[in-house]
Amino acid sequence: MSAPSLLPLAGRRLPALNLGASSFPHHRATLRLSEKFILLLILSAFITLCFGAFFFLPDSSKHKRFDLGLEDVLIPHVDTSKGGKHLGGFLIHGQGHDEHRHREEEERLRNKIRADHEKALEEAKEKLKKSRDEIQAEIQTEKNKVVQELKKKDSKPLPLVPLPNLIGINGGEPADPDIREKRNKIKEMMKHAWDNYRQYGWGHNELKPIARKGHSTNIFGNSQMGATIVDALDTLYIMGLHDEFREGQEWIDKNLDFSVNSEVSVFEVNIRFIGGLLAAYYLSGQEVFKIKAVQLAGKLLPAFNTPTGIPWAMVNLKSGVGRNWGWASAGSSILAEFGTLHMEFVHLSYLTGDPVYYNKVMHIRKLLQKMDRPNGLYPNYLNPRTGRWGQHHTSVGGLGDSFYEYLLKAWLMSDKTDTEARKMYDDAIEAIEKHLIRKSNGGLTFIGEWKNGHLERKMGHLTCFAGGMFALGADGSRDDKAGHYLQLGAEIAHTCHESYDRTTLKLGPEAFKFDGGVEAVAVRQNEKYYILRPEVIETYWYMWRFTHDPKYRQWGWEATQAIDKYCRVSGGFSGVKDVYSSSPTYDDVQQSFFLAETLKYLYLLFSNDDLLPLDNWVFNTEAHPLPVLHLANTTLSGNPAYR
Ligand code: DMJ
């Protein structure tokens, strides 16, 4: 036993002693003495035990050393030129000579153990002479040393990797003065959102624009991780808001710390933080973003320690303990959560040269490929312990959405070499079209939800992203159905525009129905809110890029004006509780995705196509652009060692 291992013992017991001392002051000295005595007694008993063990236990090393497989590391190498035979790091000599050497070696070890124990005993005696404060100070010093060591390990330099082709990270200024003016208006809205967050919510995850203070939700855990800063960085960058970008960078450099006892959503942290940091790194080339992304990714890895390798929904960043949402069917993980890691994790392997991230997401893919799918559809729930589906609910909106998106984007970001992902996407979309997509009586195409063998004729705001996805996946589709998918994208965009247009505020509700004479309208009160979501505008932007039909800019401008009119308050932007009410009430939350996605897609809609061209960039589900990796195969990392 070495002296430092005594310290925690002393540290743990002293407070108990103090409690006794304050209640019964006259017993203080007596308790201290008996405490020391007990400690010394334990120590000497332990030393006696060690001696006994050394002399009387059989020499297991003779039998076991060769089984360890680590002998080259554990046993010092001996020079074989001196007449011995080297066998796995162990030296075999003639019998008599060997016995003599063996006795000498035992004697040497015995002496060493004796000396070590005497030293430990002396150190322990010394420790016990010290005051409580001195002992605590020593404990603190030891702790600091360990933290420093861990930090050193964390800041190991990452390998140099060739940066992919970073085309179109600036500019995109439209020639048309009207479009330019609209673009400037959107930039001004970004500045308003950022400045208020800067003033009232700095370092918090989000902003309460009416209460003018920080805000957070359980997806970010209980610590201030500056979600809005990380989420907004790349939008600031492409808008040319460089001072703001630098402020954000400085905060991240000095304050963003992941060694916190906080339970976060693996999915949200991945799409907002890792995606945001990686995009900021690629755009600006600032190493700090890459380093932070890699540190954070390391903290998410324990979430994959489940019997199946399907990650938990939540993980504690400090302890690594994971669990699932209490509301999820039968303890399941969520398809849109564990299925939305691929893009970021492949980039992490590319940038670090460490295949661990890639292997995690490919393992998920392989497992999904092996599973039966009811009607070819992927249910939203999968139990990470049993590897079985939970309830047979399928959705292209909440709980399912970005899983499909990432199949397509895995293919695109691999420079279209990951054909396995493309096939999974094509198969899934065919099943979705067959079972979930319908036309309403009024001729609106909608995507419903499958619930236990029944189609619910309701579409979520979240589902509206699918219009853009169909358009993005049109090129390269099976049986050359590009025209069909572009048309499908246009129909979804139209339906989602109707869901905005049929409200009082011209902002879309959270969910809308196509049932009982109702078309694209929310029926339930708790589905009438708009929380600054981006999906409809995202679809307008993709449709604009692929068709240049001016109606998409027109629709985007309608949404911009409605947001500015009804969601803008002096302290930022807020969601509204009822889009059908002419006097809306605010929810008092400025979501981080408003800066990451909604304003970015609007800005791109009024920019030229050479800003972040889609041949070179793939946007993650939080609108963070990641470059296409022009590699022959996604398994290859940027590190030449893995080529
Ligand atoms: C964003 O965080 C992402 O787009 C995610 O995929 C789902 N929706 C929110 C915004 O609505």
Side-chain angles (χ1 to χ4, degrees):
M1 189 197 284
S2 67
S5 63
L6 265 178
L7 289 174
L9 178 67
R12 269 202 300 275
R13 293 199 46 105
L14 279 169
L17 266 180
N18 262 355
L19 183 71
S22 59
S23 320
F24 309 100
H26 56 287
H27 285 161
R28 186 179 201 140
T30 333
L31 281 171
R32 275 258 167 94
L33 272 176
S34 56
E35 179 72 12
K36 288 174 186 178
F37 181 70
I38 290 166
L39 276 174
L40 281 172
L41 214 65
I42 294 170
L43 200 71
S44 16
F46 185 71
I47 291 168
T48 317
L49 202 73
C50 289
F51 269 106
F54 181 72
F55 285 114
F56 298 112
L57 289 180
D59 182 1
S60 57
S61 63
K62 279 182 189 156
H63 312 291
K64 297 225 176 106
R65 269 187 187 173
F66 292 112
D67 300 337
L68 293 175
L70 288 171
E71 53 273 19
D72 279 349
V73 182
L74 299 176
I75 304 165
H77 283 269
V78 184
D79 186 357
T80 50
S81 62
K82 296 200 179 119
K85 204 166 32 145
H86 199 211
L87 183 59
F90 209 78
L91 200 65
I92 316 278
H93 292 271
Q95 189 89 49
H97 182 63
D98 196 31
E99 267 169 27
H100 178 68
R101 285 285 302 276
H102 192 67
R103 266 198 305 278
E104 269 181 10
E105 180 64 4
E106 270 184 2
E107 188 56 30
R108 195 186 62 75
L109 276 174
R110 221 176 273 134
N111 290 339
K112 186 173 180 315
I113 291 173
R114 199 175 295 125
D116 281 353
H117 285 162
E118 274 163 15
K119 194 170 157 227
L121 202 58
E122 274 314 302
E123 283 176 5
K125 277 188 205 156
E126 284 304 307
K127 284 269 168 316
L128 292 170
K129 277 186 209 153
K130 290 181 181 167
S131 74
R132 179 180 171 223
D133 287 347
E134 280 174 312
I135 293 177
Q136 269 181 347
E138 281 181 18
I139 294 172
Q140 196 50 48
T141 318
E142 288 299 323
K143 272 190 191 167
N144 290 346
K145 263 195 222 157
V146 175
V147 170
Q148 286 312 324
E149 283 306 309
L150 284 175
K151 275 198 178 150
K152 259 194 234 157
K153 249 172 78 188
D154 266 359
S155 52
K156 258 197 330 229
L158 293 168
L160 283 176
V161 299
L163 268 190
N165 222 353
L166 302 174
I167 291 174
I169 59 176
N170 294 303
E173 174 104 25
D176 180 337
D178 174 52
I179 302 298
R180 230 185 4 244
E181 198 182 309
K182 287 176 171 145
R183 190 169 101 130
N184 283 339
K185 171 66 194 168
I186 294 154
K187 182 170 168 177
E188 182 278 325
M189 288 166 72
M190 178 72 183
K191 185 119 174 67
H192 181 69
W194 175 265
D195 286 348
N196 278 289
Y197 167 77
R198 173 82 186 80
Q199 188 170 357
Y200 303 115
W202 194 236
H204 288 265
N205 290 316
E206 293 177 317
L207 168 71
K208 279 176 131 354
I210 294 168
R212 299 184 182 217
K213 59 179 191 182
H215 171 261
S216 199
T217 65
N218 61 344
I219 58 172
F220 303 121
N222 55 16
S223 63
Q224 293 185 21
M225 291 175 54
T228 296
I229 302 177
V230 183
D231 235 4
L233 279 173
D234 51 10
T235 310
L236 294 171
Y237 189 92
I238 63 164
M239 289 184 175
L241 293 167
H242 296 306
D243 290 343
E244 289 78 1
F245 181 89
R246 263 190 298 277
E247 278 178 330
Q249 177 176 344
E250 209 177 298
W251 186 89
I252 286 171
D253 195 12
K254 296 206 177 110
N255 303 291
L256 189 53
D257 175 19
F258 308 115
S259 3
V260 284
N261 183 8
S262 185
E263 192 182 50
V264 299
S265 154
V266 174
F267 158 77
E268 297 287 357
V269 163
N270 176 58
I271 65 168
R272 300 192 200 211
F273 284 80
I274 298 188
L277 289 164
L278 290 177
Y281 166 67
Y282 282 119
L283 292 174
S284 70
Q286 297 295 308
E287 288 284 312
V288 59
F289 299 127
K290 178 169 69 171
I291 291 167
K292 294 279 178 182
V294 174
Q295 284 173 359
L296 179 53
K299 299 278 180 184
L300 297 188
L301 287 179
F304 292 79
N305 295 336
T306 63
T308 56
I310 295 290
W312 299 115
M314 283 173 283
V315 71
N316 183 302
L317 292 176
K318 190 163 206 171
S319 66
V321 174
R323 70 183 174 102
N324 275 343
W325 304 111
W327 49 261
S329 155
S332 292
S333 301
I334 306 295
L335 182 69
E337 298 198 329
F338 64 77
T340 309
L341 303 165
H342 188 97
M343 291 182 66
E344 297 79 4
F345 275 46
V346 169
H347 272 277
L348 286 165
S349 280
Y350 176 77
L351 290 172
T352 58
D354 186 344
V356 64
Y357 311 101
Y358 176 82
N359 290 340
K360 297 282 181 213
V361 288
M362 287 309 283
H363 177 81
I364 296 175
R365 182 189 287 179
K366 294 290 166 214
L367 198 133
L368 288 175
Q369 278 178 327
K370 276 193 230 142
M371 295 189 64
D372 277 343
R373 280 176 288 134
N375 287 325
L377 297 170
Y378 289 90
N380 292 335
Y381 301 104
L382 180 59
N383 188 314
R385 294 183 200 275
T386 61
R388 294 211 189 94
W389 298 120
Q391 278 173 316
H392 284 190
H393 290 185
T394 297
S395 168
V396 185
L399 310 186
D401 48 11
S402 42
F403 162 68
Y404 306 100
E405 177 185 351
Y406 269 36
L407 291 177
L408 174 64
K409 290 181 174 177
W411 173 70
L412 287 169
M413 68 165 258
S414 72
D415 202 15
K416 304 187 179 171
T417 58
D418 186 356
T419 48
E420 186 179 72
R422 176 78 216 204
K423 181 184 177 314
M424 287 174 79
Y425 171 77
D426 286 336
D427 289 346
I429 294 308
E430 271 175 26
I432 284 166
E433 215 181 333
K434 187 161 168 205
H435 298 286
L436 306 186
I437 300 187
R438 296 285 180 272
K439 254 201 173 67
S440 71
N441 294 339
L444 295 177
T445 303
F446 69 93
I447 311 176
E449 310 226 329
W450 193 257
K451 293 201 170 154
N452 298 326
H454 154 86
L455 182 74
E456 194 177 12
R457 298 170 65 90
K458 185 162 86 176
M459 187 164 168
H461 191 288
L462 290 164
T463 320
C464 287
F465 92 97
M469 177 177 76
F470 293 141
L472 185 64
D475 187 26
S477 59
R478 193 176 281 167
D479 307 325
D480 197 19
K481 283 167 75 182
H484 167 74
Y485 285 113
L486 203 57
Q487 173 61 22
L488 191 55
E491 287 175 24
I492 298 299
H494 173 63
T495 300
C496 292
H497 175 252
E498 286 301 306
S499 78
Y500 273 51
D501 208 40
R502 296 176 188 199
T503 70
T504 312
L505 304 187
K506 305 293 173 202
L507 291 169
E510 180 67 3
F512 39 96
K513 290 204 119 177
F514 299 86
D515 224 355
V518 170
E519 299 252 334
V521 170
V523 176
R524 290 164 58 173
Q525 190 55 37
N526 65 0
E527 292 172 345
K528 295 182 177 172
Y529 60 86
Y530 172 68
I531 55 166
L532 304 169
R533 285 200 193 279
E535 292 76 17
V536 175
I537 294 162
E538 174 181 352
T539 278
Y540 294 163
W541 173 61
Y542 279 109
M543 290 310 302
W544 163 256
R545 278 274 170 110
F546 292 113
T547 65
H548 288 139
D549 185 333
K551 78 177 174 208
Y552 296 115
R553 276 189 166 165
Q554 173 56 33
W555 292 351
W557 188 241
E558 286 168 13
T560 309
Q561 287 177 303
I563 291 171
D564 204 46
K565 187 162 174 194
Y566 299 113
C567 301
R568 187 181 185 124
V569 293
S570 58
F573 287 88
S574 166
V576 290
K577 290 186 182 163
D578 185 350
V579 290
Y580 301 96
S581 158
S582 50
S583 51
T585 46
Y586 298 114
D587 68 3
D588 198 12
V589 180
Q590 179 176 283
Q591 307 275 350
S592 80
F593 54 67
F594 179 62
L595 294 88
E597 298 190 72
T598 313
L599 291 172
K600 185 186 284 132
Y601 286 131
L602 281 173
Y603 187 77
L604 289 170
L605 181 60
F606 293 95
S607 298
N608 292 342
D609 294 359
D610 57 3
L611 180 58
L612 298 173
L614 286 171
D615 283 342
N616 301 80
W617 295 90
V618 186
F619 288 71
N620 89 339
T621 193
E622 187 79 359
H624 297 305
L626 299 176
V628 168
L629 296 176
H630 291 275
L631 296 170
N633 182 322
T634 44
T635 58
L636 299 178
S637 125
N639 183 350
Y642 286 90
R643 290 190 167 211

